[in-house]
Amino acid sequence: MTGLPIDLTLARDSLPALLVGLRTTVFVVALSLLFGLALAFPICFARMSKLRFPALMAETFVVFFRGAPVLILLYLVYYGFGQIDALRNGPLWILFGSAWGCAIVALSLNHAAYMTEILRGSLLAVPRGIVEASEALGVSQRNIFLHVKMPLAIRYGLKAYQNEVVSFIKGTAVVSVVTITDLAAVANGIFEETYDPFTPILCAAALYWAFVNLVRIGFDLWGRWLDRHKMDRERAPVPVLQNVPTRGRLLRQIGRVRGRVL
Amino acid sequence: MSALTSMPPAPLAVPADVAIALTGVEKRYGTHRALAGIDLAVGRGERIVICGPSGSGKSTLIRCINGLERHDGGRIVVNGIELTSEDGTVQDVRQEVGMVFQHFNLFPHLNALENCMLAPRLNRGLSRAQAETLAMKHLERVHLADHVRKYPGRLSGGQQQRVAIARALCMEPRILLFDEPTSALDPEWSTRCSASWRNWRRAV
């Protein structure tokens, strides 16, 4: 015994299986993020529409799918839809007959509902004056959206998007209830075989952690690239201080300067 | 709006030397009449200044001329094009009219050069190189040739304002509108800017 709550041999032996599970999780995440985002745009436009009916429909969608727990949504789609004869015999059964289809549909709808709101908030944050300036230049509404509103909205919404993606990734663990062997399901399987409650779960947690932080680093780099206009490449170089002071000396110096100014 | 559409389509007789003609222009916000029957004729090559206390409708008037606000009554003819409720006419008028805003409203994600290049590239389909030449020409004209790669956040108020002017000039408008262009500047810059406009043989 090593004194650690984890069995290192088991951890090493189960790593290949866990990595396969992680690959499944990555696929579930990627597909749901893709479909969810694609769905969020039209729903967002409807939500922001001046027309009563589309706006109301979109709002209902958001209220429903943001409020519905993914787990229950997944149960409803996977077990509930199978009870409907018309659906079971219809063409859509290809989608709803498979665990993957149900999982992607349920997760995409959930993600789309959140993304609609993030997108809407970001678009509303674009200053009115900047849109007016583009209008005054005679730029068409379509081009204003593509070249002014969206580039700015992405910058405003990036942090919220990152938050949503990170919590979404961890939320995808629910797909194990509909027989998809994602990372959480693999870890659970190992636990059931070995009765070791800690090793597989902690290993899975470490892999989730690594995945989430890779995504976070990706977002950070993207954000830094987008905010390059805030970075100061053009300003004259800051004069290099002669014998850079230690913190204590720096504080004393600031104190002296302040004293002089005051 | 309905007053406009029901108006007889007979073209307003505007002399060729009049750039902007307003007759009986009305604009209401709820019950408040921001513009109450404005008549104005600005000749080609003429430069005029509209003065008045705040809230008197100067900005509203200027914003009606390029269709940022829709007027509720009367007629506006800009460079021979009458502003009607049809979207197309507003776009046509905006190609002729440049505008510089009180707070400049530069695109924060684009540098000075790109700010100037955006509209010519999108509206007139200029290539990157053509748009860049055009933008450089106008940025040099406002003495900003050394700052073209800077983003608006790194420019002083006066520099931002000159970028805004260059950006408007890049569409080569026949008419230039300024909405309180110096109120966001300190007194020194505002005198300098007004002095430089006086040298321009262009506006309106």
Side-chain angles (χ1 to χ4, degrees), chain B residues 71-149:
Chain B
H71 53 298
D72 299 317
R75 305 178 79 169
I76 300 176
V77 181
V78 180
N79 229 2
I81 306 165
E82 175 158 9
L83 269 169
T84 64
S85 55
E86 290 162 46
D87 271 341
T89 63
V90 176
Q91 285 302 99
D92 290 344
V93 164
R94 284 175 184 167
Q95 306 296 327
E96 310 275 333
V97 180
M99 182 162 177
V100 177
F101 292 82
Q102 183 173 1
H103 298 290
F104 320 135
N105 295 335
L106 296 176
F107 306 125
H109 61 302
L110 302 178
N111 65 31
L113 190 63
E114 290 162 341
N115 258 279
C116 296
M117 286 162 63
L118 187 75
R121 289 195 71 187
L122 295 177
N123 298 357
R124 290 160 53 185
L126 296 191
S127 72
R128 177 173 276 278
Q130 286 171 316
E132 202 170 311
T133 318
L134 180 73
M136 278 308 295
K137 185 179 101 183
H138 289 293
L139 283 165
E140 271 162 20
R141 202 165 149 189
V142 294
H143 309 291
L144 277 177
D146 298 338
H147 303 286
V148 294
R149 303 276 170 202

Side-chain angles (χ1 to χ4, degrees), chain A residues 68-87:
Chain A
V70 191
L71 183 63
I72 290 169
L73 207 61
L74 212 52
Y75 273 136
L76 280 180
V77 175
Y78 188 64
Y79 297 107
F81 279 15
Q83 306 295 316
I84 308 168
D85 282 333
L87 192 71

Side-chain angles (χ1 to χ4, degrees), chain A:
Chain A
M1 278 301 282
T2 54
L4 286 170
I6 62 167
D7 176 348
L8 289 175
T9 327
L10 176 60
R12 199 190 57 212
D13 290 346
S14 52
L15 194 62
L18 287 170
L19 285 176
V20 173
L22 179 64
R23 195 179 62 190
T24 307
T25 294
V26 172
F27 275 130
V28 170
V29 166
L31 286 175
S32 316
L33 289 185
L34 198 73
F35 290 127
L37 188 64
L39 208 58
F41 272 91
I43 297 170
C44 179
F45 295 149
R47 177 110 165 75
M48 294 173 80
S49 163
K50 286 192 191 79
L51 301 172
R52 213 25 110 54
F53 184 68
L56 195 71
M57 291 297 289
E59 200 177 336
T60 312
F61 174 90
V62 170
V63 167
F64 181 80
F65 284 105
R66 248 179 12 152
V70 191
L71 183 63
I72 290 169
L73 207 61
L74 212 52
Y75 273 136
L76 280 180
V77 175
Y78 188 64
Y79 297 107
F81 279 15
Q83 306 295 316
I84 308 168
D85 282 333
L87 192 71
R88 208 167 53 236
N89 301 321
L92 278 176
W93 192 242
I94 298 169
L95 188 65
F96 293 114
S98 80
W100 271 88
C102 291
I104 301 297
V105 166
L107 288 174
S108 300
L109 289 174
N110 175 266
H111 183 58
Y114 278 94
M115 280 315 294
T116 301
E117 290 302 280
I118 291 174
L119 201 57
R120 190 174 76 106
S122 313
L123 285 170
L124 289 177
V126 175
R128 183 76 203 117
I130 289 175
V131 177
E132 277 183 354
S134 334
E135 285 174 350
L137 285 163
V139 180
S140 68
Q141 288 300 325
R142 183 178 158 275
N143 278 334
I144 292 177
F145 181 80
L146 289 177
H147 295 270
V148 180
K149 278 190 188 167
M150 258 335 272
L152 289 173
I154 289 173
R155 287 164 170 85
Y156 300 142
L158 198 64
K159 286 275 180 269
Y161 184 38
Q162 178 182 351
N163 251 346
E164 160 61 10
V165 169
V166 162
S167 68
F168 182 82
I169 288 173
K170 290 176 282 191
T172 57
V174 300
V175 298
S176 55
V177 303
V178 293
T179 73
I180 294 178
T181 41
D182 72 332
L183 183 51
V186 170
N188 204 40
I190 296 169
F191 159 59
E192 281 166 3
E193 276 173 34
T194 61
Y195 294 109
D196 180 342
F198 295 117
T199 308
I201 300 299
L202 286 177
C203 289
L207 288 176
Y208 272 115
W209 185 88
F211 180 27
V212 162
N213 276 284
L214 266 178
V215 169
R216 185 185 61 81
I217 289 168
F219 268 103
D220 281 354
L221 291 175
W222 187 15
R224 214 175 298 171
W225 180 78
L226 285 174
D227 276 347
R228 62 197 182 282
H229 63 281
K230 286 184 188 155
M231 267 172 243
D232 215 356
R233 283 174 309 172
E234 304 281 336
R235 202 160 60 177
V238 179
V240 181
L241 292 172
Q242 302 290 315
N243 52 35
V244 179
T246 60
R247 203 165 138 223
R249 262 182 66 196
L250 192 64
L251 287 174
R252 280 197 301 281
Q253 277 186 359
I254 292 170
R256 267 210 299 282
V257 173
R258 277 235 186 103
R260 210 181 304 149
V261 172
L262 293 172

